[in-house]
Amino acid sequence: MASSAPTPPATGFQAEGRCGYYVEKKKRFCRLVVAAGKRFCGEHAGAAEEENTRKRILCPLDPKHTVYEDQLAKHLKKCNSREKPKPDFFIQDINAGLTDETEVPEQLVPISSLSEEQLENLIKKLRKASEGLSFTLKDQIMSHPALHDALNDPKNGDSATKHLKQQVDGKHRKKNSVFERLQIDIQHLCLNRIPVLSKEKLPVVGIGKHLCGVATDLALRCLVETYAASCEERNEEPLAKRIKNDKTEKEINTLAKEGNEKSVPEKWTPVAGIVIALCCHHRCDWRHYVGKEYFKALGLGAVEFHYFQRMSSWATCGMRKTSLDGSNITTTRKDHQNDDGEEHDDGGYRITDDSVESLPGFLTVEEKKKIGHLCKLLIDQGRIEYLQQKRFSPALQYYTDPLVSLENVLLTALPNHSSSPETTA
């Protein structure tokens, strides 16, 4: 590190109370706040003449920041990059599914490297596998009353209106509500080890807003295998059912007279429902996909899945024109994709390098979009079959207009032969 701060050009000024180190790469002063009486922040303190005797080194846990060499031992104990103790609800790869590496191809060439004949064969397999699937989903576009006034406010422009339509009211004002935020990869999350769930035996409703690609499969397995299966194995009566069984005989007779016997659930289920907004099918992974058995029954495997999930991006990447010559390919993005693109890691809206290379010239733009939607539908159908095998009644529907989000398909699932309990987590 330099012994003194670089000399800044005539343009650019140091903000009051901020670091006096000029960051040459960014052509501006450092914006970190400095301690009283100091000229430089801790990161750039070595640039101050009075601090020259102390050497700063790269942190061994994260080389993106530095630390005083004589304070390294102290820093390592509190560094945010240090390995933290795993919580009780962390179990390595518990929701990863079967990890048979022999099923996963070592290295597959990009779509752009496939011959026209190879690509046509893949598309033929896709269309054959999709025979009999319904391409028309039911519209279930709803809006919360809390948003009505804002949506009808003439002061809001198109962008603000689209943003509001994508919002979920996360402000729960119910008294005595308990909230707990878990910072953990879904792949390692064991729900039945979360204290509030294991203690109270509460049924769960799984809600996911744009769980990108593989995260949807991990979440489904977390709910219907890890949590539901473990609760059934324990065969312990849940709080919701205990409350029902604690009713006096008089109360039950009263319910019977009023014809409300059905309000008492005949069978309780650990997972009361699932609602997931699907997206980013190009981020799916065969190793964790819950619909493997469905694909195998169709004569498909890891290779076909790989190319189908890559081609799924054709449905949303905003292609316009393509040419047989890859160097002449031109692409543009639709205006209405801008707002939603920030919600995802690529979100299916930006064309990745592989997607750009994989635009075959013998297909029209509309054909590519249809193939992309077909890939999404087939992947989602595997999830539907999986949930049905786990005794759920799943469905796919549109939950918003494609002008709001091109990723507008919702996966819902309710347990078979059960009523909704009064208390859910």
Side-chain angles (χ1 to χ4, degrees):
M1 184 174 289
S3 59
S4 61
T7 303
T11 57
F13 299 93
Q14 177 186 355
E16 184 177 355
R18 304 288 175 167
C19 179
Y21 185 86
Y22 188 79
V23 185
E24 187 67 30
K25 183 178 179 180
K26 297 183 178 180
K27 303 299 181 184
R28 62 168 174 78
F29 283 96
C30 172
R31 294 171 180 167
L32 294 179
V33 178
V34 298
K38 298 289 185 180
R39 181 185 172 193
F40 299 96
C41 67
E43 186 68 21
H44 299 122
E49 295 181 1
E50 66 270 20
E51 300 279 358
N52 278 344
T53 56
R54 300 182 70 189
K55 181 182 178 182
R56 290 189 73 85
I57 60 174
L58 296 176
C59 173
L61 298 179
D62 181 5
K64 293 181 180 179
H65 66 273
T66 61
V67 61
Y68 282 119
E69 188 174 32
D70 57 3
Q71 290 187 338
L72 178 59
K74 180 180 179 181
H75 171 79
L76 292 178
K77 294 179 180 179
K78 61 180 182 180
C79 179
N80 289 331
S81 298
R82 72 188 186 281
E83 185 176 357
K84 301 176 180 63
K86 298 292 190 297
D88 290 340
F89 48 79
F90 178 99
I91 298 182
Q92 185 73 34
D93 294 329
I94 188 172
N95 302 314
L98 297 176
T99 54
D100 185 358
E101 296 298 332
T102 61
E103 294 185 4
V104 183
E106 293 182 4
Q107 185 66 39
L108 292 172
V109 299
I111 295 179
S112 60
S113 298
L114 296 177
S115 67
E116 186 172 315
E117 182 180 359
Q118 288 175 315
L119 187 57
E120 284 180 335
N121 287 335
L122 276 172
I123 294 174
K124 285 180 182 178
K125 287 185 178 181
L126 172 66
R127 287 173 173 156
K128 182 179 180 180
S130 304
E131 290 178 356
L133 296 183
S134 176
F135 296 89
T136 304
L137 304 182
K138 185 178 180 181
D139 284 329
Q140 292 279 29
I141 300 177
M142 303 178 183
S143 178
H144 196 283
L147 288 175
H148 289 174
D149 291 340
L151 289 174
N152 296 323
D153 189 342
K155 296 180 181 179
N156 289 330
D158 291 341
S159 296
T161 300
K162 291 175 187 176
H163 179 71
L164 285 168
K165 288 180 179 179
Q166 296 175 36
Q167 298 308 296
V168 176
D169 183 14
K171 298 180 179 179
H172 301 271
R173 298 181 177 84
K174 185 178 179 180
K175 291 182 179 179
N176 301 321
S177 296
V178 178
F179 300 96
E180 185 174 356
R181 183 178 182 180
L182 309 178
Q183 292 183 319
I184 184 175
D185 191 318
I186 302 175
Q187 183 169 331
H188 315 300
L189 174 60
C190 182
L191 285 178
N192 58 11
R193 288 196 177 186
I194 297 176
V196 67
L197 297 180
S198 61
K199 180 181 178 181
E200 302 295 344
K201 312 298 185 297
L202 295 172
V204 170
V205 174
I207 301 175
K209 184 176 184 291
H210 293 284
L211 280 173
C212 296
V214 66
T216 293
D217 298 299
L218 296 174
L220 290 176
R221 191 174 284 111
C222 176
L223 289 165
V224 306
E225 283 191 43
T226 307
Y227 184 62
S230 63
C231 288
E232 291 174 0
E233 288 175 3
R234 287 181 301 178
N235 196 27
E236 295 176 324
E237 197 173 63
L239 175 65
K241 191 171 181 180
R242 289 203 307 270
I243 293 175
K244 295 291 184 182
N245 292 341
D246 286 343
K247 288 181 177 293
T248 62
E249 184 178 349
K250 180 179 179 181
E251 288 175 317
I252 294 177
N253 290 336
T254 301
L255 287 174
K257 291 179 181 179
E258 295 177 355
N260 292 331
E261 311 96 304
K262 293 183 180 180
S263 64
V264 180
E266 297 177 359
K267 183 180 179 181
W268 176 84
T269 178
V271 179
I274 299 172
V275 182
I276 297 177
L278 303 170
C279 79
C280 305
H281 294 71
H282 66 286
R283 294 284 184 180
C284 290
D285 190 321
W286 175 256
R287 291 171 295 183
H288 307 304
Y289 180 51
V290 296
K292 284 183 184 178
E293 295 305 315
Y294 172 71
F295 260 61
K296 290 177 181 178
L298 295 171
L300 305 174
V303 174
E304 290 83 5
F305 181 85
H306 169 80
Y307 288 116
F308 291 169
Q309 54 103 196
R310 294 308 305 165
M311 290 190 294
S312 70
S313 65
W314 293 355
T316 54
C317 65
M319 295 176 293
R320 283 294 183 275
K321 296 185 297 181
T322 63
S323 168
L324 282 171
D325 180 2
S327 61
N328 293 328
I329 292 173
T330 58
T331 59
T332 58
R333 291 178 56 182
K334 297 179 182 179
D335 292 339
H336 62 261
Q337 293 172 358
N338 295 343
D339 295 326
D340 210 30
E342 294 181 358
E343 291 189 13
H344 319 280
D345 180 9
D346 289 336
Y349 301 134
R350 301 175 202 156
I351 303 178
T352 61
D353 292 340
D354 185 47
S355 299
V356 171
E357 295 174 351
S358 63
L359 308 181
F362 67 90
L363 294 172
T364 66
V365 171
E366 286 304 314
E367 285 174 333
K368 293 178 196 121
K369 288 176 65 177
K370 288 180 181 178
I371 289 171
H373 283 295
L374 203 57
C375 291
K376 284 176 172 285
L377 181 63
L378 190 65
I379 292 173
D380 289 337
Q381 186 62 31
R383 292 162 171 167
I384 292 289
E385 295 281 336
Y386 168 80
L387 288 168
Q388 289 174 341
Q389 292 176 3
K390 299 299 180 182
R391 302 192 299 276
F392 280 80
S393 296
L396 296 172
Q397 55 256 308
Y398 295 120
Y399 73 95
T400 191
D401 192 282
L403 293 177
V404 176
S405 173
L406 291 177
E407 298 282 20
N408 63 336
V409 177
L410 189 73
L411 171 64
T412 60
L414 292 173
N416 289 331
H417 311 301
S418 65
S419 304
S420 300
E422 290 180 354
T423 308
T424 57

